[in-house]
Amino acid sequence: MKPALPRGLRPRLVVAFVLVAALSALVTAALTFRQARSAILDRTQNSAVHDLRLQIDSLAPNLPPDPTDTDLRTFARQLDRASGSRAWHTAVSRDGGPLIGTAADIGGALRDATRSGDATFYERVEHAEGPRLLIGMPIDYAAGHRGTGGGGGTGDGGSGRGGEAGSGAAAAKPSGLVAYAAMSLKGERADISALITAAWAGAVPALAFAVVPALFAARRVLRPVRQLRTAAEKITSGALGTRLDVAGKDELASLTGTFNTMAATLEQDAAELRRMEANARRFAADVSHELRTPLAAMAAVTDALDEDARSEALPPDTADAVLLISDETRKLTAMVEDLMEISRFDAGAAELRLDDVSLGTVVHKTLQLRGWREPDEVITELPEEDPRIRVDARRIDVVLANLIGNALRHGAAPVTVRATATPETLVIDVADNGPGIPDEVLPHVFDRFYKADAARTRSEGSGLGLAIARENARLHHGTLVAANLPGGGAVFTLTVPRTLPQEDQP
């Protein structure tokens, strides 16, 4: 399972800051350790080579011209006693022969390197008892005295070797004798370990203290970001006059300035949209209001003419024209009433007049007022106990009339009205037996003046019935949704709460 990464900007900034500090401390400690380690080892081996050279130069003149094994063993013991604090163990080899002395674990690589007898070689090796420094130093005979080969070079870590050419007297010649010394480097390893411990002891507090400037830096960087977020939330809630103070000349200051420009533009556009929307609502309300009086007069005249047209008091052509005008006048009157209702919803002036009524009474009254017959046109499936509901009966009647009428016009009879009631909600389904609603039309059935067939410019309804029905459902804190039944046909579901919030109670 992967560890969860920090999601917030603050923890990511702190983590990045600490990681950079940790990497810097690690690189610094590694470089310091490498240089210190090389310095410690180089100083130790150079000093050991120098001391061994001094001791060999001091003791070599006492050797006979052709020393025996006993002479060489005595020479090695003298070198061991002269080691002092270095506590080296030495041995001497003649012409690559066996080692004579206490240093018996000299590797073959070092012996091969000193076989020529003209340079000092050394190497650092790992041993069961700890790291060791091995030195191979040739013993040369010069005219009138004897001496050693030249000084040692610096070997690399672990199993490296180093060496340099001898620097004896001008008449020196190889003697075939090589002195070997083996000394422990435990003390140096302890110094290096102490150095590592000190580096960690300094790095850990440094990392802990790095959190403090990291938090400070994160706070300084994130303060403008938090201000931008707060300002954006205020604008989202409607406070379009929100502005931020621009401080500095960095990228965040530029972003703040851009935000202020965007907020000003949004405020101007929103004000213009509100003005245009208010004008449009006022225009629709004014036009509807102005049309009500002449339409009322026209409706009265057409009603009178309808009686004459149906009584054959008028010529047939005139009677047909009168009936057409009467029908269009009624449609126009219904549209004006719907526009007035929509205007009230848009203006927030629509109110609920709640009353305790019987569910069955509301449904059957809707059918009776429109002349819809049971069960030929409408089938009702209501609860047997006929629950009481607290709603605005007129508005629920409008919703049911629009849904049933829409199902009869665009679906197929009979339309089923099915109601279920729980202590919390009332659900009414209105389903037809038609072909259903096309998928591309379904999201737009509640849009105002939406027509599924763009070529059909006229219809029996005003194009506002379903929009008004949904607004009435919302006014009851309910919902109205449309869907298609699996077996065919459309279904509209009205859901309203049985108990409305206290502020909506009359």
Side-chain angles (χ1 to χ4, degrees):
M1 183 176 180
K2 295 182 178 179
L5 297 177
R7 297 181 179 272
L9 188 57
R10 176 191 291 272
R12 282 187 287 175
L13 284 175
V14 173
V15 170
F17 196 98
V18 172
L19 287 179
V20 170
L23 181 61
S24 301
L26 181 62
V27 171
T28 302
L31 293 177
T32 303
F33 165 73
R34 182 177 180 181
Q35 293 297 326
R37 177 178 179 274
S38 297
I40 291 173
L41 294 177
D42 290 347
R43 183 184 62 209
T44 299
Q45 67 190 17
N46 291 338
S47 176
V49 169
H50 179 265
D51 292 346
L52 182 62
R53 180 184 297 114
L54 290 178
Q55 296 301 325
I56 292 177
D57 287 345
S58 175
L59 298 174
N62 298 325
L63 288 173
D66 188 13
T68 63
D69 291 349
T70 301
D71 296 331
L72 295 179
R73 187 173 293 105
T74 301
F75 179 75
R77 284 199 297 266
Q78 290 174 344
L79 288 177
D80 289 346
R81 288 194 296 268
S83 63
S85 61
R86 299 193 182 278
W88 60 46
H89 297 277
T90 60
V92 181
S93 173
R94 187 203 327 258
D95 296 328
L99 296 174
I100 301 173
T102 58
D105 53 355
I106 304 300
L110 182 61
R111 296 193 64 185
D112 291 340
T114 57
R115 191 178 300 276
S116 62
D118 58 355
T120 298
F121 290 88
Y122 47 82
E123 65 177 350
R124 295 191 297 270
V125 297
E126 289 294 332
H127 191 267
E129 298 178 357
R132 287 188 176 186
L133 173 64
L134 305 181
I135 304 173
M137 183 175 294
I139 303 174
D140 296 335
Y141 287 85
H145 71 280
R146 303 174 182 87
T148 64
T154 302
D156 57 359
S159 60
R161 295 190 304 274
E164 59 184 23
S167 58
K173 62 178 180 179
S175 64
L177 298 177
V178 179
Y180 296 98
M183 59 176 291
S184 175
L185 294 178
K186 288 184 178 179
E188 286 70 17
R189 169 169 286 186
D191 293 341
I192 294 172
S193 300
L195 183 63
I196 296 175
T197 303
W200 279 112
V204 172
L207 291 179
F209 285 121
V211 176
V212 177
L215 291 174
F216 177 77
R219 180 181 180 183
R220 185 175 181 85
V221 171
L222 293 179
R223 184 185 297 114
V225 177
R226 287 196 299 269
Q227 292 175 349
L228 284 171
R229 183 189 65 184
T230 302
E233 291 174 349
K234 291 181 179 179
I235 289 180
T236 302
S237 63
L240 298 180
T242 303
R243 300 292 185 274
L244 294 174
D245 296 331
V246 180
K249 297 182 179 180
D250 55 9
E251 290 80 0
L252 289 175
S254 176
L255 178 61
T256 303
T258 304
F259 175 86
N260 289 338
T261 303
M262 178 196 69
T265 304
L266 284 176
E267 186 177 20
Q268 294 175 0
D269 293 344
E272 181 65 18
L273 288 174
R274 284 195 296 267
R275 185 187 65 80
M276 294 174 61
E277 185 179 3
N279 290 339
R281 291 175 179 173
R282 188 180 305 109
F283 175 78
D286 292 344
V287 170
S288 300
H289 181 74
E290 294 298 329
L291 287 176
R292 294 184 71 181
T293 301
L295 282 175
M298 291 173 61
V301 173
T302 54
D303 287 343
L305 292 175
D306 278 349
E307 295 179 0
D308 294 339
R310 291 188 176 89
S311 63
E312 299 181 356
L314 298 175
D317 293 341
T318 304
D320 292 340
V322 168
L323 292 175
L324 177 62
I325 292 174
S326 176
D327 185 54
E328 293 299 325
T329 300
R330 282 191 293 271
K331 290 181 181 179
L332 183 58
T333 301
M335 179 177 291
V336 170
E337 292 296 332
D338 288 344
L339 285 174
M340 291 293 294
E341 186 72 3
I342 285 290
S343 299
R344 283 190 285 268
F345 283 120
D346 290 341
E351 297 180 354
L352 287 176
R353 299 182 182 275
L354 299 177
D355 194 9
D356 289 325
V357 295
S358 167
L359 173 61
T361 301
V362 173
V363 174
H364 289 103
K365 184 177 180 181
T366 300
L367 302 181
Q368 293 172 2
L369 290 176
R370 276 78 180 178
W372 292 324
R373 301 182 305 277
E374 294 186 81
D376 297 333
E377 294 179 301
V378 180
I379 298 175
T380 58
E381 298 180 3
L382 305 179
E384 296 181 359
E385 65 275 11
D386 193 12
R388 305 285 296 181
I389 57 176
R390 185 167 180 78
V391 294
D392 188 327
R394 183 187 69 83
R395 295 189 180 278
I396 296 298
D397 171 74
V398 171
V399 175
L400 292 176
N402 275 295
L403 296 181
I404 297 173
N406 188 72
L408 290 173
R409 284 194 301 270
H410 302 292
V415 176
T416 301
V417 179
R418 182 180 297 106
T420 57
T422 67
E424 293 79 20
T425 58
L426 168 68
V427 180
I428 301 177
D429 294 327
V430 178
D432 61 54
N433 291 304
I437 304 173
D439 292 337
E440 65 274 10
V441 176
L442 197 57
H444 306 285
V445 293
F446 296 106
D447 294 350
R448 300 175 185 180
F449 299 109
Y450 180 79
K451 295 182 181 295
D453 186 0
R456 186 182 64 190
T457 57
R458 293 183 56 81
S459 62
E460 296 182 10
S462 64
L464 296 173
L466 290 178
I468 292 174
R470 184 170 64 173
E471 293 295 338
N472 279 315
R474 288 177 176 174
L475 199 61
H476 282 83
H477 295 274
T479 59
L480 180 61
V481 296
N484 286 317
L485 295 172
V491 58
F492 288 80
T493 302
L494 170 67
T495 304
V496 294
R498 296 281 297 273
T499 303
L500 295 180
Q502 188 64 32
E503 60 269 16
D504 290 329
Q505 301 293 331

